[in-house]
Amino acid sequence: MPVDQFYALLSQLAAELDRGALDELGAMARIAEHVRERLACSRVSFWLLAGQAGERKMRRVLAQDAEGPAPAGSVVLRDATFSDYFDVLVRQGSYVCPDTLLDPRLS
């Protein structure tokens, strides 16, 4: 994914957000669509991680697949089950794995 195309998209979305022509979920959906198409993956999702270690919760805010935005629903991951995964997110800022179904931190 050419970085300049992504920065151009972010710039365009920021201008639309400033004008009130777009809300945050709309911007997330457009970013997710862009990333999903460029990486040729089946789904991109946005999550919000909040709380202190031991009490953290991560909630799915938006999911985007080939049919478009999917409802976020009430998907919540809790620290008691996903602490190793959360630790990596907090330490590195992102978590990358080739297969989420086979990753032990996400089981």
Side-chain angles (χ1 to χ4, degrees), residues 32-87:
E33 178 183 357
H34 180 86
V35 170
R36 192 187 59 74
E37 288 175 357
R38 296 311 182 278
L39 297 180
C41 58
S42 59
R43 175 172 282 189
V44 174
S45 55
F46 284 84
W47 294 76
L48 177 63
L49 177 61
Q52 299 298 319
E55 300 176 1
R56 296 172 293 197
K57 294 178 186 175
M58 191 162 76
R59 179 177 57 88
R60 187 172 67 191
V61 178
L62 178 130
Q64 171 86 27
D65 57 24
E67 286 76 44
S74 58
V75 179
V76 176
L77 306 180
R78 301 188 186 283
D79 210 347
T81 307
F82 293 96
S83 62
D84 290 343
Y85 172 56
F86 291 175
D87 289 343

Side-chain angles (χ1 to χ4, degrees), residues 10-28 31:
L10 292 179
S11 194
Q12 177 185 2
L13 294 176
E16 291 180 37
L17 285 164
D18 284 345
R19 287 194 319 270
L22 186 67
D23 64 9
E24 289 176 357
L25 283 177
M28 285 184 222
I31 292 168

